[in-house]
Every structure is written in structure tokens, then in C-alpha cells.
Amino acid sequence: MDEALLRSLTPSVLTVLVRRGAGFAAAEDAVQDALVEALRVWPADPPRDAKGWLVTVAWRKFLDQARADAARRRREDRLDEEPVPGPAPAVDDTLQLYFLCAHPSLTPSSAVALTLRAVGGLTTRQIAQAYLVPEATMAQRISRAKRTVAGVRFDRPGDVATVLRVLYLVFNEGYSGDVDLAAEAIRLTRQLAARIDHPEVAGLLALMLLHHARRAARTATDGSLVPLAEQDRSRWDTESIAEGVAILQAALARDRLGEFQAQAAIAALHADAPTAEETDWVQIAEWYDELMRLTDSPIVRLNRAVAVGEADGPRAGLAALAELDTSLPRHAAVAAYLHERDGDLATAARLYAEAAHKAPNLAERDHLTRQAARLNALRRR
């Protein structure tokens, strides 16, 4: 691909979008999206009219974002128009709502989806991404769940496992930065831990605290993503780490291992390493083996491939990755990282560009695009 051509066309494409009515900042974002798409598509299928192709794709990207922004503003306007509530009741019943939405008449997956939508505040698209299914499929699942509970009495709360799953997914969505729900998920999990003496409740709380402790270091001052290995560990919240580790140790001592305890153990090993180079990857890989026995999740297998690549070398990680479906979210990013560590910069650069195109948020997309550009610059030297 002629990257010089892309750079030369960018100003004129940007001008076309602004003349069509796009604001400058929105036009810039749309053009960047189009450039990422070009990096992915052009090597195999170069267009006859490069500028026309970029204008068409960038304009579509702008319209998609404009529609999404308009929908968000309508939701915010409706919220602003609501009357000011009266005095709040002394009892917080949010956690009770989680239990009630996890109704026994629903399957666990439907109960989780309904609760995330009705109480957690997540969009159907966000829930679908968490479940690795198309948005239309998730919309149908939520609609069926609503119909199922339409005629039932909400006097039988659901089980703890379903509520834990909901809280975990709400926290993950908040932690990604798309919706700031992480602190609320921690608050509710603390409430649950105070009510229920269960090692997996404690394990989930520990996991949340250990991940949340790193949040301040996850982004730079310009909003760009900072990978774990490059984070300033002096910015990690040591009090939250100490609390999370203590809660985890008490839970593990009960010898009733569950998936949240195993995930928390992995997070604790990362938190315990003074530097990235001192991370105990061998033990992390072993915990991923335990986690796979508890839940054979494709995302767990993907993360395990990274750990194996660090513990046993990048080719071992690539061998583990080869067993997985390439359509998995972040599969291309993991493959790019492992190929880079193995010295295959050309493949790594191509995969970073592909991963940028599939990134779920702007910060991750920009980070992956920079990674691709960095490797391409190294190859030209």
C-alpha cells in the first residue's frame, strides 16, 4: 500500500466532509476511521478511485457517528426533562432489583441480558459485544425475556450466580471507559459481600478492586491507552490492591475455588510485580489452566495464549492461539503482539491494522493504529 498516497489525500478528503456539513473534529475522526479501513482493505483490493473511496467511507463513518450522538443526546434530554425527585428513601434497593430481574422463570443468560438492559443501563449493542453475539440476536433475547416475565410476580429472587455474572459484566463495561459503571458495580458487590458469605462473591469483589486499582494508569494525559506493561505503577492504588489481595486470600483459604477467585489470583500476580519484567508469567499461565477447567470460555483461552507466550515464548503462544476462532474480539491484536515478539514485523503490522479496524472504542483503535505505524516505520529503516 502507498502510505504516502493516503497521507496526501487526507487533507482533501477532510475538506470534502467539512463542506458537506461535518464539524471539523467529527470529520477528522471519520477520516481516521476511513484510513484504518483502507489499511485493512486496500492491500488485497485497491480501489480505482482512491480519493472517491476514502470520501465515501469517511462520510458513512461520519453519518454512523452522528446518528449515535443524536440518539445519545435524545436520551440525555429526556433525562434532563424528568422532574426533580423528592427525598430519596433511606434504603438502597438497587441490589434487590438485580435479584428480582434474575427471575427463576428465565434462563441465566436471558436473566443477565435483561438485568444489564433494565437495571445496569447498558445498550443492547454493549450487551451483545459482551456475549460475542450479533446485536439483533441479543435484541431478540431481551425481548423474549421481557415477554416471559410480563405475566409473572416478582416475588421470587434469582440466584446469586446470575447476579454475580451481571455485576461482573457491568463492571467490565464501566472499566472499558464506554460507560462509567465500575464504581457502582464495586459498591453493589460490597453490599452483596456484606449480606452473603460466599467465596465467589468475595472473589468477584477482590477482582474488581484489583482491576480498579490500575485505572488511573490505564490512560495518558492525552487520553491514549497505556498497556499494562508500560503503566506507571506508582499511580496504582496500593490500598485497593492490599484490600483486594486480603479478600482474595481469605476466599482461597476456604478451598472452594471458582472462576472469579481464579481471575482475581491472576490480577493479584500482576499487581504484585514491581515491574512488568518481574511478572510471574509461569504462575499466571497455571492459573489460566485452572480457569479453563472452571469455564471453557474462548476469551479465557485467548488470554491464556498471551500468558503462554510470555511464559514459554511467542511461538508457544501462537500455537495456543492457532486453536482459537480468528473472529474472537481482540484475536488479531493478540496475534499481532505475539508475531512482533517473534520478530515477524510485517505480519504484526498487518494484524495491528486489522485489530484497529475491529477495536471496540476510540482509545483502543488509536493505540493499535500507532502500533501498526511504529512497526511499519521500523521496517522502512
Side-chain angles (χ1 to χ4, degrees), residues 32-42 53 57 61 357:
Q32 288 299 316
D33 283 340
L35 293 176
V36 170
E37 182 74 359
L39 287 170
R40 186 183 71 87
V41 172
W42 285 13
W53 189 98
V57 173
K61 298 286 186 183
H357 173 73

Side-chain angles (χ1 to χ4, degrees), residues 2 121 146 301 359 370 377:
D2 190 345
K146 289 179 179 178
R301 288 182 173 272
R370 286 193 297 271

Side-chain angles (χ1 to χ4, degrees), residues 225-277:
L225 188 66
V226 181
L228 176 60
E230 300 172 19
Q231 288 177 14
D232 178 359
R233 299 185 178 217
S234 67
R235 299 183 64 196
W236 289 2
D237 184 346
T238 54
E239 289 186 6
S240 291
I241 290 173
E243 182 185 5
V245 169
I247 292 171
L248 172 63
Q249 289 175 338
L252 291 175
R254 301 176 67 175
D255 199 23
R256 291 168 56 192
L257 185 64
E259 62 174 295
F260 294 123
Q261 295 169 74
Q263 289 189 58
I266 293 168
L269 286 167
H270 282 297
D272 187 54
T275 65
E277 293 72 23

Side-chain angles (χ1 to χ4, degrees), residues 1-35:
M1 174 183 296
D2 190 345
E3 295 184 17
L5 173 62
L6 282 177
R7 287 195 295 270
S8 68
L9 290 174
T10 297
S12 59
V13 175
L14 184 61
T15 300
V16 171
L17 263 65
V18 172
R19 285 176 178 172
R20 288 186 178 184
F24 188 79
E28 278 189 314
D29 287 341
V31 172
Q32 288 299 316
D33 283 340
L35 293 176

Side-chain angles (χ1 to χ4, degrees), residues 50-282:
K51 179 181 175 181
W53 189 98
L54 285 171
V55 168
T56 299
V57 173
W59 185 246
R60 288 173 181 167
K61 298 286 186 183
F62 165 73
L63 291 177
D64 288 344
Q65 187 57 49
R67 293 187 189 103
D69 289 343
R72 175 182 53 79
R73 285 193 296 271
R74 286 195 296 272
R75 291 195 299 270
E76 292 173 349
D77 290 343
R78 286 197 298 270
L79 182 62
D80 291 339
E81 292 168 2
E82 291 181 1
V84 178
V91 178
D92 179 6
D93 60 359
T94 305
L95 189 59
Q96 184 63 19
L97 286 175
Y98 274 72
F99 273 97
L100 291 176
C101 282
H103 198 273
S105 64
L106 297 172
T107 63
S109 60
S110 294
V112 170
L114 178 62
T115 313
L116 289 172
R117 188 72 185 91
V119 187
L122 274 62
T123 66
T124 303
R125 175 175 295 181
Q126 289 165 335
I127 301 169
Q129 289 173 344
Y131 270 90
L132 310 180
V133 299
E135 184 177 355
T137 300
M138 183 53 64
Q140 292 173 355
R141 184 179 300 178
I142 293 172
S143 295
R144 285 197 300 268
K146 289 179 179 178
R147 289 195 298 270
T148 299
V149 300
V152 302
R153 294 183 59 185
F154 280 81
D155 55 358
R156 293 185 297 152
D159 65 3
V160 175
T162 300
V163 174
L164 287 179
R165 178 63 51 190
V166 173
L167 290 170
Y168 175 64
L169 291 173
V170 169
F171 176 81
N172 280 347
E173 196 60 49
Y175 192 62
S176 73
D178 296 331
V179 182
D180 191 9
L181 293 168
E184 173 68 359
I186 292 174
R187 183 184 73 84
L188 293 172
T189 306
R190 283 190 185 279
Q191 287 187 7
L192 187 58
R195 298 181 189 182
I196 300 175
D197 183 19
H198 192 291
E200 272 295 82
V201 177
L204 178 58
L205 179 56
L207 175 63
M208 289 180 174
L209 290 170
L210 289 163
H211 277 307
H212 204 62
R214 302 198 300 258
R215 189 168 188 177
R218 292 184 74 244
T219 53
T221 53
D222 61 358
S224 60
L225 188 66
V226 181
L228 176 60
E230 300 172 19
Q231 288 177 14
D232 178 359
R233 299 185 178 217
S234 67
R235 299 183 64 196
W236 289 2
D237 184 346
T238 54
E239 289 186 6
S240 291
I241 290 173
E243 182 185 5
V245 169
I247 292 171
L248 172 63
Q249 289 175 338
L252 291 175
R254 301 176 67 175
D255 199 23
R256 291 168 56 192
L257 185 64
E259 62 174 295
F260 294 123
Q261 295 169 74
Q263 289 189 58
I266 293 168
L269 286 167
H270 282 297
D272 187 54
T275 65
E277 293 72 23
E278 296 173 87
T279 303
D280 189 347
W281 284 106
V282 172

